[in-house]
């Protein structure tokens, strides 16, 4: 498909792996804020933050993708996306760049132990392979 | 092509409103409490919907309302009487319209057929019935508005109105004198003679008509009694007597008014129907989209938060720069802002208030349908319909109240035979009332039915293994009655359509508690049950007690707090491993919020523990915290659908320092306490 090649993505890292989200799904990217944890919640929900007077839940992409969790560093960012008319913050290790892909391959059934339905495709840019996350699918998981 | 979505929304709004009006009035018709004004209202509702449905292109809705309007016009013009069958048919029409409404919402077009109803409405059966039955000519009779009002008052007191035609025997002489005598007798034996043509110039009438006269009287006797008495009078050959209903009576004056209106206005009957008062009311209120109100409320919420933050900054500046002049000025300004924000908050809150009538109006129909299907005779009376509360509360209150009312009809009110055997009035009575009490709304649902037998509840709970026998033996009656709120307990021996599945009162209580409200129950076996619900006026902004637990700040809604005490460790005892404290001779279980949420608990190191006593119905629980931080107005914000409901957490708020603090939901905390 021709059009997809011009779509812009925000590429970020979790550990050594690279993922991307369609830029139009992203509301904003902010630095780490104070997170108020919610007792007895699903483990991937880290808590809620005050985003300019709005209460926004924050989830850890690491735990969503069943990776080891890690303490926040200087480069940790919260990517705020729109999900079903709400904002949801996603904690990532590092935001790399805004990018486009020369080719996007359909995702395999499983990507390194993760259900392939979380991905809308595998973006190829020069030598890099980047998993393009389908945020609605990722966030809908119960 | 016009964009119809905006009109669609308006249409739906109107449809809902008019359907409510129709239901209300048809219910009145069925109870034989029809008034001319009510029929006018019903007629106007059908007429309005006919018009707007035609504009929107909803053909079936239009045809149905058109046919209803047609019959209602006949009713209005006294050409047709409202029978039980007609009322039932109207109910079916309203139900079908609701069905169509759902279809329009879901699929954007009507799919249910309406031909059966249209046929039933159009089949000429009803309209002509009345005139055939009416053998006494009603022509040319007018009463003044005062006379009719007077008569209606009598009807309300139980009198009845009758048309009487009295015919003299052919050989009677001195007819006029005889009529005079007859009038005198009537005046003696009835409450009131409203109208008669006994005394009239009889020129130009034939022999036959000269022998008869007509009267309209009010009496507390039956028509048979009056008829047999009248027949005994001298020279009276025949007596015909017919009922005159309230609507017919009111119409007698209506004609006069219509005539006047016709003189003043052109022959537009619709415009004469709306009173100047309604016109005025229309000018002074406007419809506002709910979203805009929500937005306004959110903005005020932000202001409240910022205002507390400004105060905090002001305080820290004051501690640094002490007596600076401009600092004092800042203090004055913030004081003023605080006051204005307080007023703004109150005004916006008032805008969001709606009379509870909106909710109550749904109940009469429900009670009617239920009592009919159960074969019970139930009367619902509603008080304080104009009590105002926050619209979000009204929405949330719907389900719990419906549940309580259903229970009252199903379990509360006994079958007529049982009631007769107990010497109670056959008709069961359910009362629902709303009022303001202090800064709360009090809603009472009361029935005069069987009440709840606490021992039976206990036995049931034991047999369903919800509590042990030894526990049961210790239960006081009050505690036993509270078992009704226990999840999984159902008192109905048979599961009916309506209730008895064991999901119920616990959900009602959870719903009320979610609104930061409380529900209490009073019951006397054989005499009835009363539920009292207390709610805050609004959900959006509450006073909260800030506490510190494990380095985190939590908020306990002030409405839940009964008292705050400081206890030393010696005050805390253990009974069978359950820590308890004794406060004013009451034994109260105590828990550490740390333990409930799994935070490290080092309160054992400090000398004394601050304890918040929270109340739930009659029960009290003690919650230990690390530190009390004081109380403040807080804006409740939802955690959002993504996080969803978390037991023990009602929502979150933003504090003066910009941090998010969680608001505790005491009901959930207590449930978790029970499991811990």
């Amino acid at each position: 498909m021709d059009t997809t090649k011009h779509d812009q993505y925000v590429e970020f890292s979790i550990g050594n792996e690279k993922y991307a989200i369609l830029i139009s799904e992203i509301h904003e990217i902010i630095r780490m804020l104070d997170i108020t944890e919610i007792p007895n919640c699903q483990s991937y929900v880290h808590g809620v933050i005050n985003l300019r007077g709005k209460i926004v839940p924050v989830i850890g992409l690491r735990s969503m993708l069943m990776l080891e969790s890690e303490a926040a560093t200087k480069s940790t960012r919260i990517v705020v996306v729109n999900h079903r008319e709400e904002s949801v913050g996603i904690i990532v290790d590092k935001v790399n760049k805004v990018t486009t892909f020369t080719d996007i391959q359909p995702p395999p059934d499983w990507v390194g132990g993760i259900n392939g339905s979380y991905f809308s495709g595998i973006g190829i840019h020069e030598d890099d392979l980047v998993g393009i996350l389908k945020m609605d699918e990722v966030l809908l998981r119960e | 092509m016009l964009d119809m979505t905006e009109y669609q929304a308006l249409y739906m709004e109107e449809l809902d409103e008019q359907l409510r009006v129709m239901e209300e009035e048809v219910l009145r018709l069925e109870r034989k409490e029809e008034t001319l004004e009510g029929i006018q209202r019903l007629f106007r509702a059908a007429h309005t919907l006919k018009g707007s449905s035609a504009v929107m292109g909803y053909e079936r809705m239009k045809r149905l309302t058109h046919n209803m309007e047609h019959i209602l016009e006949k009713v209005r013009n006294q050409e047709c009487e409202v029978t039980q069958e007609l009322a039932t048919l109207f109910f079916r029409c309203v139900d079908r319209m609701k069905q169509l409404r759902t279809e329009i919402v879901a699929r954007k077009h009507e799919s249910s057929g309406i031909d059966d109803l249209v046929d039933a409405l159009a089949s000429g059966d009803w309209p002509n019935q009345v005139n055939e039955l009416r053998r006494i000519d009603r022509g040319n009779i007018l009463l003044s508005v005062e006379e009719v009002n007077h008569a209606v008052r009598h009807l309300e007191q139980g009198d009845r109105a009758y048309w009487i035609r009295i015919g003299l025997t052919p050989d009677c002489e001195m007819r006029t004198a005889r009529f005079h005598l007859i009038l005198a007798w009537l005046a003696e034996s009835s409450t009131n003679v409203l109208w008669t043509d006994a005394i009239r110039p009889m020129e130009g009438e034939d022999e036959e008509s000269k022998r008869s006269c007509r009267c309209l009287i009010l009496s507390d006797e039956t028509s048979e009694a009056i008829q047999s008495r009248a027949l005994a009078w001298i020279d009276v050959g025949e007596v015909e007597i017919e009922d005159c209903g309230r609507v017919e009576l009111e119409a007698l004056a209506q004609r006069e008014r219509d005539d006047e209106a016709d003189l003043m206005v052109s022959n537009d009957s619709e415009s004469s129907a709306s009173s100047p008062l309604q016109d005025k009311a229309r000018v002074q209120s406007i419809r506002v989209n709910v979203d805009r109100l929500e937005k306004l409320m959110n903005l005020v919420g932000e202001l409240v938060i910022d205002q507390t933050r400004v105060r905090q900054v002001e305080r820290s500046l004051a501690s640094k720069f002490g007596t600076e002049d401009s600092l004092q000025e800042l203090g004055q300004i913030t004081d003023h802002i605080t006051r204005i924000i307080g007023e703004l908050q109150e005004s916006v809150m008032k805008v969001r208030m709606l009379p509870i009538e909106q909710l109550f109006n749904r109940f009469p129909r429900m009670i009617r349908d239920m009592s009919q299907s159960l074969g019970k005779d139930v009367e619902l009376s509603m008080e304080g319909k104009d009590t105002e509360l926050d619209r979000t509360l009204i929405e949330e209150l719907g389900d719990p109240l419906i549940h309580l009312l259903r229970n009252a009809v199903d379990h509360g009110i006994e079958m007529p035979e049982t009631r007769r055997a107990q010497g109670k009035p056959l008709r069961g009575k359910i009362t629902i009332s709303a009022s303001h009490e202090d800064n709360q709304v009090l809603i009472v649902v009361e029935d005069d039915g069987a009440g709840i037998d606490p021992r039976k509840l206990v036995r049931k709970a034991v047999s369903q293994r919800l509590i042990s026998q030894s526990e049961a033996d210790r239960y006081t009656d009050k505690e036993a009655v509270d078992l009704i709120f226990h999840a999984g307990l159902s008192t109905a021996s048979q599961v009916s359509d309506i209730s008895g599945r064991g999901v119920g009162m616990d959900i009602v209580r959870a719903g009320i508690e979610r609104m930061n409200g409380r529900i209490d129950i009073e019951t006397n076996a054989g005499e009835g049950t009363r539920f009292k619900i207390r709610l805050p006026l609004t959900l959006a902004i509450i006073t909260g007690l800030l506490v510190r637990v494990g380095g985190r700040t939590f908020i306990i809604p002030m409405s839940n707090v009964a008292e705050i005490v400081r206890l030393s460790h010696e005050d805390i005892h253990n009974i069978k491993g359950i820590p308890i404290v004794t406060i004013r001779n009451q034994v109260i279980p105590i828990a550490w919020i740390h333990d409930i949420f799994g935070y490290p608990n080092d309160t054992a190191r400090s000398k004394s523990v601050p304890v918040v006593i929270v109340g739930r119905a009659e029960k009290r629980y003690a919650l230990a915290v690390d530190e009390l931080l004081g109380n403040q107005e807080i804006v409740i914000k939802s955690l959002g659908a993504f996080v969803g409901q978390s037991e023990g957490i009602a929502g979150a708020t933003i504090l003066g320092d910009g941090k998010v603090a969680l608001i505790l939901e005491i009901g959930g905390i207590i449930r978790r306490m029970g499991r811990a």
Side-chain angles (χ1 to χ4, degrees):
Chain A
M1 280 181 284
D2 240 16
T3 50
T4 53
K5 286 184 188 167
H6 304 291
D7 285 341
Q8 288 189 313
Y9 294 83
V10 170
E11 185 201 287
F12 52 86
S13 311
I14 291 178
N16 296 323
E17 295 170 26
K18 285 180 180 165
Y19 297 93
I21 299 177
L22 201 59
I23 204 163
S24 58
E25 289 182 22
I26 293 175
H27 192 258
E28 63 188 299
I29 297 169
I30 52 175
R31 280 170 195 281
M32 204 56 183
L33 290 174
D34 255 340
I35 296 180
T36 303
E37 61 189 83
I38 302 168
N40 298 62
C41 220
Q42 294 94 326
S43 60
Y44 56 83
V45 178
H46 283 219
V48 286
I49 54 167
N50 166 16
L51 182 62
R52 293 185 303 276
K54 241 166 64 179
I55 306 266
V56 174
V58 176
I59 60 164
L61 201 54
R62 278 183 165 270
S63 37
M64 288 294 266
L65 301 177
M66 285 166 291
L67 301 166
E68 291 279 304
S69 60
E70 234 169 57
T73 65
K74 257 189 160 172
S75 61
T76 305
R77 292 289 182 276
I78 301 175
V79 179
V80 181
V81 299
N82 294 319
H83 174 67
R84 303 198 153 186
E85 292 171 21
E86 283 184 348
S87 298
V88 178
I90 296 157
I91 302 175
V92 302
D93 289 356
K94 185 176 170 223
V95 172
N96 301 333
K97 62 188 170 187
V98 175
T99 182
T100 54
F101 297 112
T102 45
D103 187 21
I104 295 174
Q105 296 285 327
D109 287 349
W110 292 92
V111 181
I114 303 159
N115 191 335
S117 68
Y118 288 176
F119 298 94
S120 60
I122 305 294
I124 298 165
H125 180 71
E126 287 160 18
D127 288 341
D128 273 349
L129 291 182
V130 179
I132 301 169
L133 287 170
K134 212 194 265 179
M135 278 328 290
D136 273 344
E137 282 292 326
V138 177
L139 294 177
L140 266 184
R141 133 189 161 149
E142 289 301 320
Chain B
M1 176 76 190
L2 264 169
D3 176 24
M4 295 298 268
T5 45
E6 199 177 321
Y7 296 105
Q8 176 85 21
L10 281 176
Y11 173 73
M12 289 331 280
E13 226 168 273
E14 185 169 80
L15 185 58
D16 289 343
E17 198 175 309
Q18 301 297 349
L19 278 176
R20 217 185 53 232
V21 169
M22 284 183 157
E23 194 152 78
E24 225 170 87
E25 291 303 333
V26 176
L27 206 59
R28 220 183 298 224
L29 289 187
E30 196 193 46
R31 288 198 305 255
K32 289 269 151 215
E33 288 169 9
E34 70 253 39
T35 61
L36 192 63
E37 201 186 313
I39 287 174
Q40 297 272 32
R41 243 181 116 205
L42 198 52
F43 176 82
R44 278 201 297 275
H47 183 82
T48 311
L49 282 185
K50 181 177 94 170
S52 47
S53 304
V55 171
M56 296 301 295
Y58 296 122
E59 195 55 36
R60 293 177 192 184
M61 199 73 102
K62 189 197 97 182
R63 259 178 67 215
L64 193 53
T65 44
H66 171 76
N67 281 284
M68 287 176 79
E69 187 192 359
H70 187 66
I71 291 205
L72 284 166
E73 189 170 15
K74 288 194 170 166
V75 173
R76 195 171 68 159
N77 295 340
Q78 299 301 304
E79 290 162 27
C80 168
E81 201 181 3
V82 182
T83 57
Q84 203 67 31
E85 293 79 50
L86 188 57
T88 314
L89 182 57
F90 277 149
F91 263 134
R92 283 175 53 208
C93 290
V94 173
D95 285 344
R96 191 69 53 88
M97 285 163 75
K98 283 187 183 163
Q99 172 87 29
L100 289 173
R101 181 200 173 276
T102 331
E103 288 162 6
I104 291 171
V105 171
R107 297 192 283 276
K108 302 267 174 245
H109 69 89
E110 311 160 294
S111 43
S112 293
I114 53 157
D115 291 342
D116 53 331
L117 292 176
V118 170
D119 287 348
L121 283 169
S123 71
D125 278 4
W126 352 81
N128 303 323
Q129 263 175 3
V130 177
N131 278 351
E132 276 167 21
L133 282 172
R134 286 184 178 171
R135 280 171 298 156
I136 301 176
D137 176 27
R138 317 281 219 261
N140 308 325
I141 298 166
L142 283 185
L143 293 180
S144 73
V145 179
E146 291 76 34
E147 282 171 321
V148 168
N149 287 344
H150 169 78
V152 165
R153 273 199 299 280
H154 275 281
L155 288 189
E156 279 167 358
Q157 284 162 18
D159 279 2
R160 300 181 62 182
Y162 299 108
W163 290 102
I164 302 180
R165 194 182 67 81
I166 294 175
L168 299 177
T169 50
D171 53 349
C172 168
E173 293 179 11
M174 298 195 350
R175 282 184 292 252
T176 315
R178 189 50 69 201
F179 280 141
H180 267 288
L181 274 177
I182 288 172
L183 273 189
W185 289 330
L186 272 179
E188 256 172 53
S189 59
S190 65
T191 319
N192 213 326
V193 179
L194 286 173
W195 176 90
T196 178
D197 65 352
I199 315 299
R200 63 179 192 267
M202 295 193 186
E203 287 99 24
E205 291 184 37
D206 58 33
E207 205 43 37
E208 180 73 20
S209 77
K210 275 182 186 171
R211 276 196 278 119
S212 75
C213 74
R214 294 172 294 165
C215 304
L216 176 59
I217 66 158
L218 289 170
S219 172
D220 55 1
E221 290 181 272
T222 64
S223 58
E224 290 80 19
I226 296 172
Q227 188 170 27
S228 61
R229 186 132 38 93
L231 278 170
W233 291 331
I234 303 163
D235 287 341
V236 171
E238 51 174 342
V239 174
E240 279 179 325
I241 188 157
E242 282 169 19
D243 270 332
C244 172
R246 177 172 175 163
V247 172
E248 188 183 353
L249 200 58
E250 284 177 317
L252 293 174
Q254 191 64 30
R255 276 187 228 160
E256 181 186 53
R257 259 179 294 178
D258 280 354
D259 289 347
E260 279 169 17
D262 280 349
L263 287 178
M264 289 185 292
V265 197
S266 61
N267 50 1
D268 180 3
S269 64
E270 275 349 288
S271 70
S272 69
S274 68
S275 69
L277 197 79
Q278 281 173 316
D279 287 340
K280 205 173 168 196
R282 220 168 285 153
V283 176
Q284 284 175 343
S285 69
I286 51 162
R287 272 169 196 259
V288 180
N289 192 314
V290 172
D291 291 344
R292 291 193 192 170
L293 280 185
E294 292 295 318
K295 172 105 195 189
L296 203 57
M297 192 68 204
N298 280 338
L299 289 176
V300 172
E302 307 280 297
L303 270 182
V304 172
I305 290 166
D306 282 344
Q307 168 226 324
T308 42
R309 296 186 66 171
V310 169
R311 281 221 160 264
Q312 204 150 354
V313 173
E314 187 205 330
R315 265 202 295 276
S316 70
L317 282 179
S319 63
K320 262 190 209 156
F321 304 106
T323 51
E324 187 79 28
D325 274 355
S326 47
L327 205 59
Q328 278 193 349
E329 208 174 331
L330 178 67
Q332 283 167 11
I333 296 170
T334 47
D335 280 349
H336 189 225
I337 290 179
T338 306
R339 219 167 42 238
I340 290 181
I341 290 179
E343 269 175 48
L344 184 65
Q345 184 188 328
E346 206 171 304
S347 318
V348 173
M349 216 103 89
K350 281 215 181 94
V351 175
R352 289 162 50 97
M353 302 279 244
L354 285 178
I356 202 165
E357 193 176 358
Q358 300 238 339
L359 181 62
F360 278 14
N361 281 341
R362 282 156 52 188
F363 299 149
R365 173 73 197 272
M366 188 190 89
I367 298 286
R368 168 202 173 266
D369 289 355
M370 266 189 74
S371 50
Q372 269 189 1
S373 77
L374 290 168
K376 293 181 179 179
D377 192 3
V378 182
E379 176 192 348
L380 174 72
S381 77
M382 301 187 289
E383 288 158 26
K385 283 211 261 188
D386 46 4
T387 307
E388 292 191 326
L389 65 165
D390 197 285
R391 54 169 292 278
T392 41
L393 276 174
I394 288 192
E395 280 161 23
E396 300 241 343
L397 202 52
D399 286 345
L401 283 187
I402 285 173
H403 210 101
L404 289 180
L405 287 171
R406 279 168 168 266
N407 275 347
V409 179
D410 198 14
H411 306 310
I413 305 291
E414 312 91 333
M415 296 302 282
E417 310 88 70
T418 323
R419 291 183 69 91
R420 196 197 318 258
Q422 292 174 351
K424 286 183 176 182
L426 290 192
R427 170 170 276 200
K429 193 174 159 117
I430 296 176
T431 311
I432 178 162
S433 70
S435 57
H436 285 294
E437 200 184 77
D438 302 331
N439 221 354
Q440 288 184 317
V441 181
L442 174 69
I443 295 167
V444 181
V445 179
E446 196 176 355
D447 67 66
D448 69 347
I452 299 166
D453 181 354
R455 293 297 125 200
K456 201 171 141 194
L457 266 182
V458 169
R459 278 200 300 278
K460 196 96 188 171
V462 172
S463 74
Q464 293 181 358
R465 292 173 195 282
L466 297 171
I467 56 172
S468 71
Q469 186 62 50
S470 58
E471 264 180 296
D473 294 339
R474 284 201 308 274
Y475 269 45
T476 64
D477 279 2
K478 186 122 203 69
E479 284 170 322
V481 169
D482 275 347
L483 274 174
I484 197 167
F485 294 114
H486 204 296
L489 185 90
S490 171
T491 48
S493 23
Q494 276 187 336
V495 171
S496 76
D497 229 20
I498 290 151
S499 50
R501 285 190 210 86
V503 280
M505 292 307 294
D506 60 316
I507 293 176
V508 170
R509 179 159 78 176
I512 303 279
E513 280 172 354
R514 222 179 8 253
M515 294 179 256
N516 284 312
R518 269 174 49 185
I519 178 165
D520 293 304
I521 175 171
E522 292 166 21
T523 183
N524 280 320
E527 285 169 31
T529 309
R530 176 188 293 143
F531 287 97
K532 279 187 178 174
I533 299 170
R534 285 191 181 78
L535 291 173
L537 284 177
T538 177
L539 280 182
I541 296 181
I542 61 164
T543 314
L545 175 70
L546 275 64
V547 297
R548 202 150 190 79
V549 175
R552 299 159 177 88
T553 307
F554 288 95
I555 293 160
I556 302 175
M558 221 41 174
S559 56
N560 292 122
V561 177
E563 76 185 284
I564 297 165
V565 291
R566 203 164 254 287
L567 296 174
S568 65
H569 293 290
E570 290 85 68
D571 295 330
I572 301 165
H573 305 279
N574 269 299
I575 290 183
K576 287 192 200 160
I578 300 166
I580 54 117
V581 292
T582 312
I583 289 164
R584 270 191 270 295
N585 296 325
Q586 201 183 352
V587 177
I588 301 173
I590 182 170
W592 284 257
I593 295 182
H594 321 65
D595 300 344
I596 294 172
F597 288 147
Y599 298 144
N601 179 358
D602 54 3
T603 46
R605 273 189 289 151
S606 55
K607 239 197 259 152
S608 66
V609 195
V611 172
V612 182
I613 313 287
V614 293
R616 183 194 206 196
E618 294 303 310
K619 295 213 168 169
R620 297 269 181 270
Y621 297 87
L623 297 174
V625 300
D626 288 340
E627 197 185 346
L628 298 165
L629 302 171
N631 54 8
Q632 93 181 38
E633 292 263 283
I634 54 154
V635 183
I636 300 184
K637 289 173 180 266
S638 149
L639 289 177
F642 183 75
V643 177
Q645 292 266 334
S646 172
E647 189 169 40
I649 306 293
T653 192
I654 294 164
L655 296 176
D657 59 5
K659 287 210 176 105
V660 181
L662 298 178
I663 302 164
L664 300 184
E665 190 245 316
I666 294 304
I669 296 283
I670 291 169
R671 276 194 295 280
R672 294 175 77 147
M673 234 171 116
R675 286 199 298 269

